[in-house]
Structures are given as C-alpha cells and as structure tokens.
Amino acid sequence: VVLRDAAQRQGAPTDLAETLAAIVGTTQVLSDPSVVESFTTDWTRRFQGPARLVVRPADTAAVAAVIKACSEARVGVVIQGGNTGLVGGSVPAAHPGLEGPPVLLSTSRLDSIGPVDTVASQVTAGAGATLAALQRAARAAGLEFPVDLGARDSATIGGMIATNAGGVHVIRYGGTRAQVVGVEAALADGQVVSRLGGLVKDNTGYDLSQLLVGSEGTLGVVTAARLRLVPHMAERAVLLLGLASTAAVTELVAHLRGHLSGLSAAEIFYREGMELVCRHSGLTPPWPEASEVYLLIECSGRTSPLEEMLEALSDLEVDDAATAVATDSSGIERLWSYRERHTESVSAIGVPHKLDVTLPLGVLGEFEPAVRRRVEEVAPGSTAILWGHVGDGNIHVNVVGPGPEDERVDSAVLELVAGLGGSISAEHGIGRAKTAWLGLSRSEAEIAAMRAIKTALDPEGILNPGVLLP
Ligand code: FAD
Ligand code: MLT
Ligand code: ZN
C-alpha cells in the first residue's frame, strides 16, 4: 500500500512499483521521499532531479527484469553507482517523452568480487564493488588494479567503466578502458550480454564490452566486469617540485616520459590550489615560500625508483627548484594529499563549475594563462582553481562564483579548448553537464553515428535520459 501510494503521488503507473518489488523484494524498493531525495543530488551539488523511487537489485537477472519492466512502462531508468561522477550523469535529468519521473537504479548490492586469477592476472568484479575494495583484493593476491583516483572509497567499477574513468596512473597503464577484458550488461530490452570469460584475444565482431566503456549508462547497465591486473610495485618514490610556469612543467614531463620507464604519475597544481588545500585541510605547506606551479611525480618499480628518478632528472637544470621527496608510505601520502585534496577543498568554498579538459601537451603552457584571462572576462571576481593530470595533457578547470545555472563560463572555457585542438572532456565524461557542447569535440557524422547506436540499443530512450547525447 505504501508503495502504491508513493507511485500514485508521483504519477507513476500504479503497478510499476509493485512489479519492481516482486523482482527485488519490497525492502529493496525505496519510496520514502526523504530517502529517495538522498539519491537525487550529484556530488558537486550542481545537478539534481526527481526520481519516483530507488530500486536496488542484487544480481544481473534482477537488473535485467527491472529494466524490462521500466521499458514496458516507458519509464526512464537512471543508473547510480557511487554517485561520485562530476558531470551530473548519475542523477535524473529532463526526460521528455517518457512517463513521469524515472526510476533510480542503484548498483550498491552488485558488489561481489570474485577470486583473483593469478594465472591470467585478472579478476571479475560486480558493478557495485568500490575501487578501494577491488584494490584491496588485488593487493592481497600480490597484484594491483592499475586505475587509481581520489574517490576510490565510493566510486564503483560500474561507474568507472561507464565513464571510462582516468585517474592518476593513465600515463603508465592507460585508463579504465585499457583494463577491461570483458563486460556483462543488461540492455534496454532486458537481454543480457556477457563477456566474462577472460579471453584476452577474441576477434569475433563488434566489441560490445568496449562499446559500453564510456557509454555513461546510455546503452546498458553494466552488472559485472572482467578486469586486467598488473604486478604490484613494491617500491615507490614521490617527488614534489616547485616550478615557475606551466611551460616549464610540460617540458620536464616531456623529458621524463622519454627517460623514466617507472614514471607512474605526473600531476600539476598551482599556488592558489596549494593555499586553498592547506587552509581547508590544515596541512602545512611543503616549503615556506609558495611556488607558482607544483609538479608531483611518482615513480614505482621493484627496486630503487628514487635513484631512477634522480638519474632522469640529473641532466636537467632543476637544481634551483624547491623540492620535497618521499619514499615511505606516510611521506608519500602526505605529498599526495596536497594534490588529492583539491576536489573537496574547492567544493568547500562553493558549487564549482567543473571543466575537465585535455589539450596537446605542447599547448598547455599557452592554455593556462589564457583560460584564467577568459574566466575573468566572462565571470569577473570568480575564483579559478586549476589542477590535473599533466602527463595526459588533462587540466581540471574549476570555477567557483557563477550560479549553477549560469553556463557562460562553461561555454567560454570549452570553446577556448576546442579552438586550441583539445577535448571538452578528458576523463569525467559528458553527463548532463556538457551535452550542449558535444559538437565542439565530435563532428555531426560522429554524433549521428552515436545516435544510431543509441536508438538501435535503446529505441524508447529509457536508459539515462538526458545524458551524453544532446
Ligand atoms: P556514478 O557517479 O554513480 O555514475 C557516473 C556515471 O556512470 C553516470 O552516468 C551513471 O549513470 C553511470 N553508471 C554508474 N554505474 C553504472 C553501471 N553499472 N552501468 C552503467 N552506467 C553506470 N574521475 C576520473 O576520471 N579521474 C579522477 O581522478 C577522478 N577523481 C575523483 C576524485 C573525487 C574526490 C571525486 C568526487 C570524483 C573523482 N572522479 C574522477 C569522478 C568519479 O569518481 C568517476 O567518474 C567515477 O568513475 C564515477 O564512479 P561512480 O560509481 O561514483 O559513478
Ligand atoms: C581529480 O583529478 O582530482 C579528479 O578528476 C577530480 C576533480 O577533477 O575534481
Ligand atoms: Zn582527474
């Protein structure tokens, strides 16, 4: 009765809630408005939208049945993993043409992690398993899952596959896409496709697993994945350098890429970010006089990564640079904190416009001052904090000041990026935040092809309506 009342209040077909309850059990259909509301705002607090209820299936068959029921009722389905996505894709958006508010499908109960296969260096993980849980399982078997990001305690494998998450080790191992051996997913019509057999080579037509990577929940619900693991690197060294300009950083990174085989991260941030992080988190700055630009590099290996790193730097003129180095875990964690705590520190001063972009490495030196000027022109008095994965040409431009609905700064930055040969999304995806600008990075023909794929797999458009395609 409670479910039927909630469904009627929201204008839903009265029997959908009951149908879903019959699939997953009544306790796994959440319809109390205050509970539902706790799922409908994104991590940044910039995006929100109503859902009629939250459903939490525990296995692939239940996911498929939920999708089929929603499809038959012409009700949208919004898929949510850890809700750490930064482009609003995990919360409901506008969905013209569908019946009432969407169902929010949480993958939290799909959290199993299978035994680590040490013969193939692979593991099968449920879509709702967190990155941290997967990392722990891999390490316990002497291996490593090579993708790492600051949201590791909440971000899920399904969300990472859906967004093709990047993180800090792309420079060495590639992003999530490169770790996916195969995916299992429920499609919009309730059919299940499953490629969890672990074959590294399998040229039998369209690669549906890779098609789902980066599809942001618009083509299917990922329920599990077979993932590649890499050898655990016992030794790590982290060096933080203070430099004068972005151009000096990119020159150094270009050199290290060619000379340091153990290079596993190259991250950039700036004076204002360091000051904000220290203010927000109470960390002491690494040296007394702030530098204009900071470069954090990590090298890992089985032996002596510090020596390797110092040797690669020895023929460069970086003697004057302020530096801090760490080879023990607490020192390493401390140096990484200056970089990793940027996201939470920025959110503490307001609701940021998060513009995650890539440019050719050689253009970053020109882009950084240009984007600061452009932001000041369009949103005078706003705060721009920049950081990113400089080894990948990936800069996160965060602007605090303009209201959540004001898109002028988004337009200005993304147009500047496109004009310099960059991409409007490096690793966070398009979500609902950037659909309007997809045409800056994708041609009409490409968008038409993407639309054709979407229509073929999800003709009613029920999966993540309003996400990715304009
Ligand atoms: P959600 O936020 O729940 O969802 C993200 C998108 O994936 C949505 O469109 C959703 O509908 C879809 N989705 C989720 N699960 C599934 C599924 N099973 N099947 C189909 N679609 C699904 N990102 C990076 O790339 N690099 C970083 O370094 C990085 N660092 C971060 C640091 C912090 C502190 C935070 C808060 C975020 C960071 N992110 C980073 C962004 C975010 O963590 C990633 O995008 C992550 O992949 C999202 O995972 P999630 O489980 O939270 O997905
Ligand atoms: C990062 O690299 O810090 C993440 O992508 C998160 C962010 O951009 O805020
Ligand atoms: Zn990032």
Side-chain angles (χ1 to χ4, degrees), residues 155-424:
T156 64
I157 298 309
M160 292 174 63
I161 289 173
T163 58
N164 184 25
V168 295
H169 297 319
V170 172
I171 193 166
R172 179 142 176 197
Y173 299 108
T176 300
R177 183 183 296 290
Q179 324 312 330
V180 171
V181 181
V183 157
E184 178 177 88
L187 304 179
D189 61 0
Q191 292 204 73
V192 172
V193 290
S194 186
R195 309 295 299 171
L196 300 180
L199 294 179
V200 173
K201 289 184 151 182
D202 180 9
N203 273 349
T204 51
Y206 302 147
D207 189 334
L208 298 178
S209 298
Q210 288 295 334
L211 180 62
L212 287 159
V213 179
S215 66
E216 300 192 42
T218 61
L219 301 180
V221 183
V222 174
T223 54
R226 186 77 177 168
L227 300 163
R228 179 175 88 102
L229 303 173
V230 298
H232 173 66
M233 297 296 164
E235 301 296 327
R236 290 161 76 198
V238 170
L239 180 67
L240 185 65
L241 289 140
L243 295 162
S245 67
T246 304
V249 166
T250 54
E251 250 176 62
L252 189 53
V253 169
H255 172 85
L256 291 174
R257 198 203 294 284
H259 292 78
L260 189 52
S261 58
L263 183 64
S264 53
E267 301 284 310
I268 194 169
F269 49 102
Y270 294 84
R271 174 195 284 265
E272 75 280 351
M274 174 66 97
E275 287 170 356
L276 176 65
V277 165
C278 289
R279 219 168 40 244
H280 170 70
S281 61
L283 285 171
T284 311
W287 45 79
E289 201 179 322
S291 302
E292 283 311 313
V293 193
Y294 295 85
L295 170 66
L296 181 151
I297 51 179
E298 180 178 283
C299 185
S300 59
R302 295 226 179 250
T303 54
S304 329
L306 181 61
E307 284 70 21
E308 209 198 318
M309 189 143 80
L310 295 179
E311 196 189 319
L313 286 166
S314 63
D315 48 346
L316 294 177
E317 288 169 15
V318 290
D319 290 355
D320 296 342
T323 55
V325 70
T327 52
D328 63 301
S329 56
S330 68
I332 287 174
E333 195 180 314
R334 181 183 155 75
L335 291 184
W336 267 109
S337 303
Y338 296 122
R339 161 64 183 87
E340 274 200 343
R341 300 194 74 165
H342 271 66
T343 306
E344 68 190 59
S345 303
V346 162
S347 278
I349 59 168
V351 175
H353 290 238
K354 295 188 81 74
L355 301 161
D356 152 50
V357 300
T358 22
L359 291 120
L361 198 57
V363 176
L364 279 188
E366 172 191 344
F367 171 73
E368 181 259 317
V371 78
R372 290 184 193 279
R373 281 195 301 274
R374 196 71 191 104
V375 168
E376 186 52 28
E377 277 163 20
V378 180
S382 60
T383 306
I385 311 271
L386 275 58
W387 70 91
H389 316 285
V390 64
D392 314 325
N394 180 183
I395 294 289
H396 299 310
V397 179
N398 283 246
V399 183
V400 179
E405 309 285 332
D406 182 348
E407 294 184 327
R408 282 173 297 182
V409 84
D410 306 53
S411 267
V413 171
L414 300 180
E415 278 162 16
L416 177 68
V417 167
L420 290 170
S423 167
I424 65 160

Side-chain angles (χ1 to χ4, degrees), residues 419-445:
L420 290 170
S423 167
I424 65 160
S425 175
E427 57 172 12
H428 296 165
I430 297 297
R432 59 195 268 197
K434 290 181 178 169
T435 50
W437 298 281
L438 186 62
L440 288 177
S441 283
R442 291 304 191 106
S443 68
E444 269 179 39

